[in-house]
Amino acid sequence: MLSLGSGGARQLGQAAGMTQTEQTALVRRAMDLGVNFFDTSSDYGESEVILSRALKDVPRESYYLCTKWPPFVGRELAEDPQLLVNAVDNSLRRLGTDHVEIMMFHGPLSHHYAPLMERFYPTMERLREQGKFRFIGMSVQYGTEPTQAVGDLAVKRDPELWDVLMLKYGLLNQSLAKEVLPLALEHGVGIMNMAAVRVKLPDPDLLQQLMQEWRDKGYVERGDLPDSDPLGWLVHDDVTSVVSAGYKFAADHPAIGTVITGTSNMAHLEENAAALEKPYLPPDDTQRVKELFRNIVEYV
Ligand SMILES: NC(=O)c1ccc[n+]([C@@H]2O[C@H](COP(=O)([O-])OP(=O)(O)OC[C@H]3O[C@@H](n4cnc5c(N)ncnc54)[C@H](OP(=O)(O)O)[C@@H]3O)[C@@H](O)[C@H]2O)c1
């Protein structure tokens, strides 16, 4: 259920200047903890190469890879399908493999959706027929469209064309539970849950500020949550931190196939793996979290 991401703010430790030895140790520790699914992209710095080095000598059949291609030239949607062909070959070369499990369009917005499908989807299908990947997917762009509208379009217009979508669903981002996740489940579209705790849950100050904003906007009733450590009540028994609560909540929907953690910290990786051994909060806490936040449509 837990997978390891190589993007986000950490990019497998690239942002902090971790050495390849440290990056390899992180990836190998993830495998020891039962993680066998790695998410990457041609857009995550050197992540594909770092993963390839980290997984060298690990039997290829013992893990799964998802990579992505941002279909843009500058800020415009690309036009030439050959760019996709080249991008897939380049990703496979960097990853040191002849196939990945999932190939995704990385981060189109809703106004790109129709031209993207027309220009590039047939080429994706052709590349799949050639055995370069098994499943076709798309990820939403982090933060740009609060409603994650491109995911909405995908499950409403073409659910049969998408094997997998990468979306953000979490304790503070529940809006997809209304339509998108039920439709994905109905049509067998797998959901990879990205950025499920980023950025507010790991940062007590940001979280406190957000709750204050939500009170000021009337989203949360004054008195519903303590001013200080507003979600601290979630931490008890096997829920070791607010972040741990966030990953558990993020996993607790039948449409979610995996929750990707973007940590580059070994202790955090261990905590997150432990959190998903029981991928749900106590039912009363889940209910309270839903009542508090389920009608809020923001991207936080
Ligand atoms: N559009 C896209 O395609 C897209 C966008 C975003 C993400 N993604 C994918 O999804 C993956 C995960 O996303 P993400 O990295 O944004 O999200 P995330 O896993 O929700 O959050 C990562 C952040 O949480 C912190 N964190 C994690 N575990 C923690 C713990 N136990 N205690 C305290 N802090 C903790 C991390 O810091 P530490 O390193 O200090 O633990 C990091 O700052 C990415 O790596 C990428 O593969 C894809």
Side-chain angles (χ1 to χ4, degrees):
M1 172 121 243
L2 190 73
S3 44
L4 181 63
S6 60
R10 301 299 192 238
Q11 299 205 338
L12 270 187
Q14 288 178 83
M18 270 167 64
T19 63
Q20 177 70 52
T21 306
E22 291 166 325
Q23 291 160 333
T24 298
L26 189 79
V27 171
R28 295 299 185 99
R29 182 69 185 130
M31 290 200 86
D32 289 345
L33 294 165
V35 172
N36 64 356
F37 188 11
F38 301 95
D39 175 57
T40 186
S41 167
S42 58
D43 207 28
Y44 294 162
E46 296 297 310
S47 286
E48 290 178 322
V49 173
I50 292 166
L51 266 180
S52 159
R53 291 192 194 126
L55 293 165
K56 196 166 165 273
D57 304 330
V58 178
R60 180 65 185 87
E61 63 279 10
S62 61
Y63 60 89
Y64 303 102
L65 293 171
C66 169
T67 193
K68 322 187 198 70
W69 171 62
F72 303 106
V73 174
R75 294 171 66 88
E76 300 300 317
L77 189 66
E79 299 202 353
D80 183 358
Q82 187 59 37
L83 292 175
L84 171 58
V85 176
N86 298 345
V88 170
D89 284 342
N90 288 334
S91 280
L92 294 179
R93 183 178 41 75
R94 285 189 292 265
L95 283 162
T97 181
D98 61 359
H99 72 285
V100 289
E101 279 62 37
I102 302 173
M103 184 71 210
M104 288 192 172
F105 295 112
H106 190 163
L109 297 173
S110 48
H111 67 274
H112 299 130
Y113 185 79
L116 176 90
M117 296 304 281
E118 196 183 314
R119 288 177 206 170
F120 294 109
Y121 194 90
T123 304
M124 268 289 201
E125 280 193 303
R126 190 164 53 78
L127 293 168
R128 169 163 61 184
E129 280 158 19
Q130 293 169 9
K132 299 191 180 201
F133 44 86
R134 284 184 65 196
F135 302 110
I136 296 176
M138 176 170 67
S139 75
V140 299
Q141 201 170 109
Y142 182 82
T144 313
E145 279 184 331
T147 57
Q148 307 187 59
V150 76
D152 196 75
L153 283 176
V155 290
K156 286 184 180 162
R157 283 194 195 167
D158 305 307
E160 72 289 355
L161 297 185
W162 297 108
D163 300 305
V164 192
L165 294 173
M166 187 180 294
L167 305 167
K168 176 175 166 84
Y169 169 74
L171 213 149
L172 302 174
N173 296 266
Q174 296 184 33
S175 59
L176 298 184
K178 282 203 169 61
E179 284 191 295
V180 173
L181 296 184
L183 277 171
L185 188 63
E186 180 185 335
H187 294 287
V189 180
I191 301 294
M192 295 174 69
N193 192 0
M194 67 180 214
V197 305
R198 175 178 166 206
V199 295
K200 311 289 189 204
L201 292 185
D203 185 324
D205 293 335
L206 285 181
L207 183 59
Q208 203 164 308
Q209 273 168 30
L210 179 72
M211 291 304 114
Q212 187 54 48
E213 271 174 43
W214 282 4
R215 275 188 212 103
D216 293 345
K217 290 177 176 171
Y219 295 170
V220 175
E221 293 290 323
R222 281 176 208 286
D224 270 359
L225 291 172
D227 291 345
S228 164
D229 195 13
L231 298 182
W233 50 273
L234 288 165
V235 181
H236 59 91
D237 299 311
D238 73 327
V239 183
T240 48
S241 67
V242 171
V243 171
S244 172
Y247 282 118
K248 281 177 181 284
F249 184 89
D252 187 12
H253 189 291
I256 307 279
T258 183
V259 179
I260 318 169
T261 179
T263 186
S264 63
N265 174 301
M266 194 74 89
H268 291 173
L269 176 67
E270 289 167 0
E271 184 187 27
N272 303 343
L276 289 205
E277 275 167 26
K278 273 209 248 157
Y280 44 83
L281 293 169
D284 288 351
D285 289 352
T286 301
Q287 189 56 29
R288 186 166 172 208
V289 163
K290 287 185 177 172
E291 279 163 14
L292 281 164
F293 303 131
R294 77 181 145 203
N295 293 318
I296 300 174
V297 184
E298 281 195 9
Y299 193 101
V300 296

